[in-house]
Amino acid sequence: MDAATDSAAGAEEVPPLPVRMLNEYTYCPRLGYLMWVQGEFMDSADTVDGRFQHRRVDQEKKRRISRRAPVDDGPVTIHARSVSLASDRLGLVAKIDLVEGECNRVTPVDYKRGKRPHIPKGAWEPEMVQLCAQGLILRDNGFECGEGVLYFAASRERVPVVFDGALIARTLELVDLMRKAAREGVVPPPLVDSPKCPRCALVSICLPDEVTFLQSQAHEPRPLFPSRDDALPFYVQHQGARVRKDGDVLKIMERDELLAEGRLREISQLVLFGGVQVSTGVIQELCKRGIPMTYLSGGGWFYGVTHGMSHKNVELRRHQYRTATDASRSLVLARRFVQAKIANCRTLLRRNASTVPEDVLDDLKGDMRRAGEAPTMETLLGVEGNSAQRYFSWFSSMLANGMGFAFEHRNRRPPKDPVNALLSLAYAMLAREWTTTLLAVGFDPYLGFYHQPRYGRPALALDLMEEFRPLIGDSAVITAINNEEIRRRDFIETLGAVALTPVGRSRFIEVYERRMSQEITHPVFGYTISYRRVLEVQARLLGRHLAGEIPEYPSFTTR
Ligand code: SF4
């Protein structure tokens, strides 16, 4: 049995492998796996430019390979662009940029952005393997094919690649390895301290240095991805407003008057408060672009979310479901969420309340220990309840005197005083933030490990937001009051329920968003990162933990 026959083994179990993915796998096995098996994708300057180059090829007339006999009875010539072909025997599919040749002898031509690399073989291995796989598919379709051509668009150079025995063997070996990895469902480990990672489109999904660091503490993580996002949430609060699309711009209208507008590529999510109308065109465009649309009541209660097709990473959801049905693994995670929340509450008090007695801080430390040792979920809930009472009984000492804001204890549904109204809004915004982050990463936000499933409740979002309640929610409330960005006149009281006025809400959203965009030094990895990015990194690290890549979920605590 030769190598090519071996490669056919398992062809029924795993769907056909696109040769484009073989290129990624050759560059880095983890990259190929993340893209093909887990359906991860993220645009980079390289991918956008590469797509543009291929689109130019595609725009020229597409055709199946057809043989043309010239009128003078010369040899039959072949020149076909954007040709889709498959080999059932090898379990491979390809879209070949150009096939050219005469009679039955053909050459696949693959277009590459950039210039030809000046290296001994004239091209890098991933491109040669991809091209060779195209050649093998052509052979399996009855053509003679001994070499291919890489066309480098930036330098307009053609580099011939001979399909010799060594290249064919290597190509078939990689096909086998990639199919085996997909069958076994084990993500290959990240490259260690590799120069390939900074150029990799999936670096912020893969987290190579972070995963390696959490596995072995070796190699301090490099800051490999942008510390903050360019796109931000776009809020629409004006009751009766309509959202419509005009080209690449969202426009907020009231009748014919333009109230606000935002470019789609600068919007990370559309947040609608209360009665706002949205056109079908906007919904379709947002779904297509993967921009979620979230709904809050006029008072800020988080209702739900509309998003495009679910993330393709089924593996991640499988790990999530498996862990959620395992009581002891769920308890381990729940302990970490609660422990980290108490730790961050204690830090916030220590930093902002000079009058808080040392024994209160010691008691909170004791709560952390008790949370870490809780034998059951019920015990853990009890510990969390006690520590919350302790923390909120000193919350008012973090508010500047003379602002007219009193706080005695936490109350909600409805909040009965301004501070509780602010806290409720902050937590609703955080739950919304976590829900969309989890959806974007590929989790099911409704199935948690600590919070139990209840209709419409994003339990996993509530789990993960625990440690961020003090860091983002409470901190934004304290800042808004102490900096006088929110005043007593920004609230209205109806039948004992207190809510923010529309102006007050806008002001608080500004403070909250500022906090989300604030850049901090990551307590574990040491690089600068915004809170908004921290949420995504935490969600991805939870995924890495559930998949067994890192031993523990690394909770986020500040000092
Ligand atoms: S970031 Fe590095 S390890 Fe991760 S997929 Fe990309 S190249 Fe591979």
Side-chain angles (χ1 to χ4, degrees), residues 290-343:
I291 301 174
M293 186 162 60
T294 53
Y295 312 92
L296 287 91
S297 70
W301 184 251
F302 176 43
Y303 281 144
V305 55
T306 297
H307 62 99
M309 295 298 286
S310 282
H311 197 287
K312 288 189 219 151
N313 194 347
V314 177
E315 252 185 24
L316 178 67
R317 289 193 285 279
R318 271 206 201 124
H319 290 308
Q320 180 188 356
Y321 297 144
R322 217 171 282 146
T323 309
T325 50
D326 180 331
S328 62
R329 281 192 75 193
S330 291
L331 179 61
V332 170
L333 279 166
R335 283 190 198 128
R336 291 192 75 82
F337 300 144
V338 175
Q339 246 186 334
K341 174 189 177 181
I342 303 172

Short mmCIF file of all heavy atoms in Angstrom, two decimals, residues 290-343:
data_model
loop_
_atom_site.label_atom_id
_atom_site.label_comp_id
_atom_site.label_asym_id
_atom_site.label_seq_id
_atom_site.Cartn_x
_atom_site.Cartn_y
_atom_site.Cartn_z
N GLY A 290 -21.34 39.63 11.67
CA GLY A 290 -21.05 39.10 13.01
C GLY A 290 -21.11 40.16 14.10
O GLY A 290 -20.45 40.05 15.12
N ILE A 291 -21.91 41.22 13.85
CA ILE A 291 -22.07 42.26 14.88
C ILE A 291 -23.36 41.97 15.64
O ILE A 291 -24.44 41.99 15.05
CB ILE A 291 -22.15 43.67 14.24
CG1 ILE A 291 -20.88 43.95 13.43
CG2 ILE A 291 -22.37 44.74 15.31
CD1 ILE A 291 -20.94 45.26 12.65
N PRO A 292 -23.30 41.68 16.95
CA PRO A 292 -24.54 41.37 17.66
C PRO A 292 -25.37 42.63 17.92
O PRO A 292 -24.84 43.74 17.97
CB PRO A 292 -24.05 40.77 18.98
CG PRO A 292 -22.66 41.25 19.15
CD PRO A 292 -22.11 41.56 17.79
N MET A 293 -26.67 42.40 18.06
CA MET A 293 -27.59 43.49 18.40
C MET A 293 -28.21 43.11 19.74
O MET A 293 -28.80 42.03 19.87
CB MET A 293 -28.65 43.60 17.31
CG MET A 293 -29.56 44.78 17.48
SD MET A 293 -30.41 45.13 15.94
CE MET A 293 -31.27 43.63 15.66
N THR A 294 -28.06 43.96 20.75
CA THR A 294 -28.56 43.60 22.08
C THR A 294 -29.68 44.55 22.49
O THR A 294 -29.72 45.71 22.07
CB THR A 294 -27.43 43.65 23.13
OG1 THR A 294 -26.79 44.91 23.05
CG2 THR A 294 -26.42 42.57 22.90
N TYR A 295 -30.59 44.02 23.31
CA TYR A 295 -31.79 44.77 23.71
C TYR A 295 -31.81 44.94 25.22
O TYR A 295 -31.65 43.97 25.96
CB TYR A 295 -33.05 44.03 23.28
CG TYR A 295 -33.03 43.55 21.87
CD1 TYR A 295 -32.57 42.27 21.56
CD2 TYR A 295 -33.43 44.38 20.82
CE1 TYR A 295 -32.52 41.82 20.26
CE2 TYR A 295 -33.38 43.94 19.51
CZ TYR A 295 -32.93 42.67 19.24
OH TYR A 295 -32.87 42.23 17.94
N LEU A 296 -32.01 46.17 25.65
CA LEU A 296 -32.23 46.45 27.07
C LEU A 296 -33.54 47.21 27.20
O LEU A 296 -33.93 47.93 26.27
CB LEU A 296 -31.08 47.27 27.65
CG LEU A 296 -29.75 46.51 27.85
CD1 LEU A 296 -28.87 46.62 26.63
CD2 LEU A 296 -29.01 47.04 29.06
N SER A 297 -34.19 47.04 28.34
CA SER A 297 -35.42 47.80 28.56
C SER A 297 -35.05 49.26 28.74
O SER A 297 -33.86 49.59 28.92
CB SER A 297 -36.12 47.29 29.83
OG SER A 297 -35.35 47.67 30.96
N GLY A 298 -36.05 50.14 28.71
CA GLY A 298 -35.78 51.56 28.94
C GLY A 298 -35.05 51.78 30.25
O GLY A 298 -34.24 52.69 30.39
N GLY A 299 -35.31 50.90 31.24
CA GLY A 299 -34.65 51.03 32.54
C GLY A 299 -33.30 50.34 32.61
O GLY A 299 -32.66 50.36 33.63
N GLY A 300 -32.90 49.65 31.50
CA GLY A 300 -31.57 49.05 31.48
C GLY A 300 -31.55 47.55 31.74
O GLY A 300 -30.50 46.94 31.81
N TRP A 301 -32.72 46.92 31.88
CA TRP A 301 -32.77 45.47 32.10
C TRP A 301 -32.39 44.75 30.80
O TRP A 301 -32.92 45.07 29.74
CB TRP A 301 -34.18 45.08 32.54
CG TRP A 301 -34.33 43.63 32.89
CD1 TRP A 301 -35.00 42.69 32.19
CD2 TRP A 301 -33.77 42.97 34.03
NE1 TRP A 301 -34.90 41.48 32.80
CE2 TRP A 301 -34.15 41.62 33.95
CE3 TRP A 301 -33.00 43.38 35.12
CZ2 TRP A 301 -33.79 40.68 34.90
CZ3 TRP A 301 -32.62 42.44 36.08
CH2 TRP A 301 -33.03 41.12 35.96
N PHE A 302 -31.45 43.80 30.86
CA PHE A 302 -30.94 43.12 29.67
C PHE A 302 -31.93 42.04 29.21
O PHE A 302 -32.17 41.07 29.91
CB PHE A 302 -29.57 42.51 29.98
CG PHE A 302 -28.97 41.71 28.87
CD1 PHE A 302 -29.02 42.17 27.56
CD2 PHE A 302 -28.33 40.51 29.12
CE1 PHE A 302 -28.48 41.43 26.52
CE2 PHE A 302 -27.78 39.77 28.10
CZ PHE A 302 -27.85 40.23 26.80
N TYR A 303 -32.51 42.24 27.99
CA TYR A 303 -33.52 41.31 27.48
C TYR A 303 -32.93 40.17 26.65
O TYR A 303 -33.34 39.04 26.74
CB TYR A 303 -34.47 42.04 26.54
CG TYR A 303 -35.53 42.86 27.19
CD1 TYR A 303 -35.93 44.06 26.61
CD2 TYR A 303 -36.16 42.43 28.35
CE1 TYR A 303 -36.92 44.83 27.18
CE2 TYR A 303 -37.16 43.20 28.92
CZ TYR A 303 -37.53 44.41 28.34
OH TYR A 303 -38.50 45.15 28.90
N GLY A 304 -32.03 40.51 25.73
CA GLY A 304 -31.56 39.47 24.84
C GLY A 304 -30.67 39.99 23.74
O GLY A 304 -30.26 41.15 23.75
N VAL A 305 -30.42 39.11 22.78
CA VAL A 305 -29.43 39.42 21.76
C VAL A 305 -29.82 38.77 20.43
O VAL A 305 -30.40 37.69 20.42
CB VAL A 305 -28.03 38.95 22.24
CG1 VAL A 305 -28.02 37.50 22.61
CG2 VAL A 305 -26.94 39.22 21.24
N THR A 306 -29.55 39.45 19.33
CA THR A 306 -29.69 38.86 17.99
C THR A 306 -28.29 38.79 17.40
O THR A 306 -27.54 39.76 17.47
CB THR A 306 -30.54 39.76 17.08
OG1 THR A 306 -31.84 39.86 17.62
CG2 THR A 306 -30.63 39.20 15.67
N HIS A 307 -27.96 37.62 16.87
CA HIS A 307 -26.64 37.51 16.24
C HIS A 307 -26.75 36.57 15.05
O HIS A 307 -27.76 35.89 14.89
CB HIS A 307 -25.58 37.01 17.24
CG HIS A 307 -25.85 35.64 17.77
ND1 HIS A 307 -25.24 34.52 17.29
CD2 HIS A 307 -26.69 35.22 18.74
CE1 HIS A 307 -25.69 33.47 17.93
NE2 HIS A 307 -26.58 33.86 18.82
N GLY A 308 -25.70 36.53 14.22
CA GLY A 308 -25.73 35.69 13.02
C GLY A 308 -25.68 34.21 13.39
O GLY A 308 -25.91 33.84 14.54
N MET A 309 -25.36 33.38 12.40
CA MET A 309 -25.31 31.95 12.65
C MET A 309 -24.32 31.67 13.77
O MET A 309 -23.30 32.34 13.89
CB MET A 309 -24.82 31.22 11.39
CG MET A 309 -25.79 31.35 10.23
SD MET A 309 -27.38 30.62 10.59
CE MET A 309 -26.97 28.89 10.48
N SER A 310 -24.62 30.63 14.58
CA SER A 310 -23.75 30.33 15.72
C SER A 310 -22.34 30.05 15.25
O SER A 310 -22.11 29.61 14.13
CB SER A 310 -24.26 29.09 16.45
OG SER A 310 -25.34 29.46 17.24
N HIS A 311 -21.41 30.30 16.14
CA HIS A 311 -20.01 30.04 15.86
C HIS A 311 -19.83 28.56 15.51
O HIS A 311 -20.50 27.70 16.05
CB HIS A 311 -19.22 30.38 17.13
CG HIS A 311 -17.78 30.54 16.89
ND1 HIS A 311 -16.96 29.47 16.65
CD2 HIS A 311 -16.99 31.63 16.85
CE1 HIS A 311 -15.73 29.90 16.48
NE2 HIS A 311 -15.71 31.21 16.60
N LYS A 312 -18.88 28.31 14.58
CA LYS A 312 -18.73 26.92 14.10
C LYS A 312 -18.01 26.02 15.09
O LYS A 312 -17.91 24.82 14.88
CB LYS A 312 -17.93 26.95 12.80
CG LYS A 312 -18.71 27.48 11.62
CD LYS A 312 -17.90 27.25 10.36
CE LYS A 312 -18.02 28.43 9.43
NZ LYS A 312 -16.85 28.60 8.59
N ASN A 313 -17.45 26.59 16.16
CA ASN A 313 -16.63 25.78 17.06
C ASN A 313 -17.49 24.87 17.94
O ASN A 313 -17.71 25.13 19.12
CB ASN A 313 -15.75 26.69 17.92
CG ASN A 313 -14.65 25.92 18.61
OD1 ASN A 313 -14.69 24.69 18.65
ND2 ASN A 313 -13.69 26.62 19.15
N VAL A 314 -17.95 23.77 17.34
CA VAL A 314 -18.81 22.84 18.06
C VAL A 314 -18.04 22.17 19.19
O VAL A 314 -18.58 21.88 20.26
CB VAL A 314 -19.35 21.77 17.08
CG1 VAL A 314 -20.19 20.74 17.79
CG2 VAL A 314 -20.16 22.44 15.98
N GLU A 315 -16.75 21.93 18.94
CA GLU A 315 -15.91 21.28 19.95
C GLU A 315 -15.97 22.01 21.28
O GLU A 315 -16.08 21.40 22.33
CB GLU A 315 -14.45 21.33 19.46
CG GLU A 315 -13.94 19.99 19.03
CD GLU A 315 -12.47 20.07 18.68
OE1 GLU A 315 -11.73 20.95 19.15
OE2 GLU A 315 -12.08 19.23 17.91
N LEU A 316 -15.90 23.34 21.20
CA LEU A 316 -15.91 24.14 22.42
C LEU A 316 -17.22 23.94 23.19
O LEU A 316 -17.21 23.75 24.41
CB LEU A 316 -15.75 25.63 22.05
CG LEU A 316 -15.78 26.60 23.22
CD1 LEU A 316 -14.56 26.41 24.11
CD2 LEU A 316 -15.82 28.05 22.73
N ARG A 317 -18.34 23.95 22.45
CA ARG A 317 -19.64 23.77 23.13
C ARG A 317 -19.75 22.36 23.72
O ARG A 317 -20.31 22.16 24.78
CB ARG A 317 -20.79 24.09 22.18
CG ARG A 317 -20.88 25.58 21.88
CD ARG A 317 -22.18 25.94 21.21
NE ARG A 317 -22.22 25.57 19.82
CZ ARG A 317 -21.67 26.28 18.83
NH1 ARG A 317 -21.03 27.39 19.09
NH2 ARG A 317 -21.77 25.86 17.58
N ARG A 318 -19.16 21.38 23.02
CA ARG A 318 -19.17 20.02 23.58
C ARG A 318 -18.44 19.98 24.92
O ARG A 318 -18.92 19.40 25.89
CB ARG A 318 -18.46 19.06 22.62
CG ARG A 318 -19.38 18.48 21.61
CD ARG A 318 -18.82 17.14 21.13
NE ARG A 318 -19.42 16.84 19.85
CZ ARG A 318 -18.76 16.59 18.75
NH1 ARG A 318 -17.46 16.58 18.76
NH2 ARG A 318 -19.39 16.35 17.64
N HIS A 319 -17.26 20.62 24.96
CA HIS A 319 -16.50 20.66 26.23
C HIS A 319 -17.32 21.37 27.30
O HIS A 319 -17.34 20.96 28.46
CB HIS A 319 -15.18 21.41 26.04
CG HIS A 319 -14.18 20.67 25.20
ND1 HIS A 319 -13.80 19.37 25.46
CD2 HIS A 319 -13.48 21.04 24.09
CE1 HIS A 319 -12.91 18.98 24.56
NE2 HIS A 319 -12.70 19.98 23.72
N GLN A 320 -18.01 22.44 26.90
CA GLN A 320 -18.81 23.20 27.86
C GLN A 320 -19.93 22.33 28.44
O GLN A 320 -20.14 22.27 29.65
CB GLN A 320 -19.40 24.44 27.17
CG GLN A 320 -20.25 25.30 28.10
CD GLN A 320 -20.98 26.41 27.36
OE1 GLN A 320 -20.82 26.61 26.16
NE2 GLN A 320 -21.81 27.13 28.09
N TYR A 321 -20.66 21.64 27.55
CA TYR A 321 -21.80 20.82 28.00
C TYR A 321 -21.30 19.69 28.90
O TYR A 321 -21.91 19.37 29.92
CB TYR A 321 -22.56 20.22 26.81
CG TYR A 321 -23.19 21.27 25.92
CD1 TYR A 321 -23.26 21.09 24.54
CD2 TYR A 321 -23.70 22.45 26.44
CE1 TYR A 321 -23.82 22.08 23.72
CE2 TYR A 321 -24.26 23.42 25.63
CZ TYR A 321 -24.32 23.23 24.27
OH TYR A 321 -24.86 24.20 23.46
N ARG A 322 -20.16 19.10 28.50
CA ARG A 322 -19.63 17.99 29.29
C ARG A 322 -19.28 18.47 30.71
O ARG A 322 -19.61 17.82 31.69
CB ARG A 322 -18.36 17.46 28.59
CG ARG A 322 -18.22 15.95 28.70
CD ARG A 322 -17.11 15.45 27.83
NE ARG A 322 -17.47 15.37 26.42
CZ ARG A 322 -16.62 15.60 25.41
NH1 ARG A 322 -15.39 15.98 25.65
NH2 ARG A 322 -17.03 15.47 24.17
N THR A 323 -18.63 19.62 30.81
CA THR A 323 -18.22 20.13 32.12
C THR A 323 -19.44 20.54 32.95
O THR A 323 -19.49 20.31 34.16
CB THR A 323 -17.26 21.32 31.96
OG1 THR A 323 -16.22 20.94 31.08
CG2 THR A 323 -16.66 21.76 33.28
N ALA A 324 -20.43 21.15 32.28
CA ALA A 324 -21.60 21.63 33.01
C ALA A 324 -22.40 20.48 33.62
O ALA A 324 -23.09 20.67 34.62
CB ALA A 324 -22.49 22.47 32.10
N THR A 325 -22.27 19.29 33.02
CA THR A 325 -23.01 18.14 33.59
C THR A 325 -22.15 17.35 34.57
O THR A 325 -22.58 16.33 35.08
CB THR A 325 -23.51 17.21 32.46
OG1 THR A 325 -22.41 16.92 31.60
CG2 THR A 325 -24.62 17.85 31.66
N ASP A 326 -20.94 17.82 34.79
CA ASP A 326 -20.04 17.15 35.75
C ASP A 326 -20.02 18.02 37.02
O ASP A 326 -19.40 19.08 37.07
CB ASP A 326 -18.64 17.05 35.11
CG ASP A 326 -17.63 16.38 36.02
OD1 ASP A 326 -17.77 16.48 37.25
OD2 ASP A 326 -16.68 15.77 35.49
N ALA A 327 -20.71 17.54 38.07
CA ALA A 327 -20.89 18.37 39.26
C ALA A 327 -19.57 18.77 39.91
O ALA A 327 -19.41 19.92 40.34
CB ALA A 327 -21.76 17.61 40.26
N SER A 328 -18.59 17.85 39.95
CA SER A 328 -17.37 18.21 40.67
C SER A 328 -16.53 19.21 39.86
O SER A 328 -15.96 20.14 40.43
CB SER A 328 -16.56 16.97 41.06
OG SER A 328 -16.16 16.30 39.91
N ARG A 329 -16.50 19.06 38.54
CA ARG A 329 -15.73 20.04 37.73
C ARG A 329 -16.41 21.41 37.78
O ARG A 329 -15.76 22.44 37.82
CB ARG A 329 -15.62 19.57 36.27
CG ARG A 329 -14.55 18.50 36.08
CD ARG A 329 -14.26 18.27 34.62
NE ARG A 329 -13.46 19.33 34.02
CZ ARG A 329 -13.27 19.50 32.73
NH1 ARG A 329 -13.83 18.66 31.88
NH2 ARG A 329 -12.53 20.48 32.26
N SER A 330 -17.74 21.40 37.78
CA SER A 330 -18.47 22.67 37.86
C SER A 330 -18.19 23.36 39.18
O SER A 330 -18.00 24.58 39.22
CB SER A 330 -19.98 22.43 37.74
OG SER A 330 -20.29 22.00 36.44
N LEU A 331 -18.12 22.56 40.26
CA LEU A 331 -17.86 23.17 41.57
C LEU A 331 -16.47 23.80 41.62
O LEU A 331 -16.29 24.89 42.17
CB LEU A 331 -18.01 22.09 42.66
CG LEU A 331 -17.75 22.55 44.09
CD1 LEU A 331 -18.74 23.64 44.52
CD2 LEU A 331 -17.83 21.37 45.08
N VAL A 332 -15.49 23.13 41.00
CA VAL A 332 -14.12 23.68 40.99
C VAL A 332 -14.13 25.06 40.30
O VAL A 332 -13.54 26.03 40.79
CB VAL A 332 -13.16 22.71 40.25
CG1 VAL A 332 -11.79 23.37 40.03
CG2 VAL A 332 -12.99 21.43 41.06
N LEU A 333 -14.84 25.14 39.17
CA LEU A 333 -14.90 26.42 38.46
C LEU A 333 -15.66 27.47 39.27
O LEU A 333 -15.23 28.62 39.39
CB LEU A 333 -15.59 26.23 37.09
CG LEU A 333 -14.68 25.66 35.99
CD1 LEU A 333 -15.50 25.19 34.82
CD2 LEU A 333 -13.67 26.72 35.55
N ALA A 334 -16.78 27.05 39.85
CA ALA A 334 -17.60 27.99 40.62
C ALA A 334 -16.80 28.57 41.78
O ALA A 334 -16.87 29.77 42.07
CB ALA A 334 -18.85 27.27 41.13
N ARG A 335 -16.00 27.73 42.44
CA ARG A 335 -15.17 28.21 43.55
C ARG A 335 -14.23 29.31 43.07
O ARG A 335 -14.02 30.31 43.74
CB ARG A 335 -14.31 27.05 44.10
CG ARG A 335 -15.05 26.08 44.96
CD ARG A 335 -13.99 25.18 45.59
NE ARG A 335 -14.54 23.96 46.12
CZ ARG A 335 -14.06 22.75 45.81
NH1 ARG A 335 -13.06 22.59 44.98
NH2 ARG A 335 -14.58 21.67 46.37
N ARG A 336 -13.65 29.10 41.90
CA ARG A 336 -12.70 30.10 41.38
C ARG A 336 -13.40 31.42 41.07
O ARG A 336 -12.88 32.49 41.32
CB ARG A 336 -11.97 29.57 40.14
CG ARG A 336 -11.02 28.44 40.48
CD ARG A 336 -10.09 28.10 39.33
NE ARG A 336 -9.02 29.08 39.14
CZ ARG A 336 -7.89 29.09 39.84
NH1 ARG A 336 -7.69 28.21 40.79
NH2 ARG A 336 -6.96 30.00 39.60
N PHE A 337 -14.61 31.33 40.48
CA PHE A 337 -15.34 32.57 40.15
C PHE A 337 -15.62 33.36 41.45
O PHE A 337 -15.42 34.56 41.51
CB PHE A 337 -16.68 32.28 39.47
CG PHE A 337 -16.58 31.53 38.15
CD1 PHE A 337 -17.54 30.58 37.80
CD2 PHE A 337 -15.54 31.77 37.27
CE1 PHE A 337 -17.46 29.89 36.60
CE2 PHE A 337 -15.45 31.08 36.07
CZ PHE A 337 -16.42 30.14 35.73
N VAL A 338 -16.10 32.64 42.46
CA VAL A 338 -16.51 33.33 43.70
C VAL A 338 -15.28 33.85 44.45
O VAL A 338 -15.27 35.00 44.93
CB VAL A 338 -17.34 32.38 44.59
CG1 VAL A 338 -17.66 33.03 45.93
CG2 VAL A 338 -18.64 32.00 43.88
N GLN A 339 -14.24 33.03 44.52
CA GLN A 339 -13.00 33.45 45.19
C GLN A 339 -12.47 34.74 44.57
O GLN A 339 -12.11 35.69 45.27
CB GLN A 339 -11.95 32.36 45.01
CG GLN A 339 -11.57 31.69 46.29
CD GLN A 339 -10.41 30.72 46.07
OE1 GLN A 339 -10.21 30.19 44.98
NE2 GLN A 339 -9.68 30.48 47.15
N ALA A 340 -12.44 34.76 43.24
CA ALA A 340 -11.89 35.93 42.53
C ALA A 340 -12.77 37.15 42.76
O ALA A 340 -12.29 38.28 42.92
CB ALA A 340 -11.76 35.63 41.05
N LYS A 341 -14.09 36.94 42.79
CA LYS A 341 -14.99 38.06 43.03
C LYS A 341 -14.72 38.66 44.41
O LYS A 341 -14.60 39.88 44.57
CB LYS A 341 -16.44 37.59 42.93
CG LYS A 341 -17.44 38.66 43.30
CD LYS A 341 -18.82 38.05 43.40
CE LYS A 341 -19.85 39.05 43.84
NZ LYS A 341 -21.17 38.44 43.96
N ILE A 342 -14.62 37.79 45.43
CA ILE A 342 -14.38 38.31 46.78
C ILE A 342 -13.03 39.03 46.83
O ILE A 342 -12.90 40.10 47.43
CB ILE A 342 -14.44 37.17 47.83
CG1 ILE A 342 -15.80 36.45 47.76
CG2 ILE A 342 -14.21 37.71 49.24
CD1 ILE A 342 -15.89 35.19 48.61
N ALA A 343 -12.03 38.45 46.19
CA ALA A 343 -10.69 39.08 46.19
C ALA A 343 -10.77 40.48 45.58
O ALA A 343 -10.18 41.43 46.10
CB ALA A 343 -9.71 38.21 45.40
#
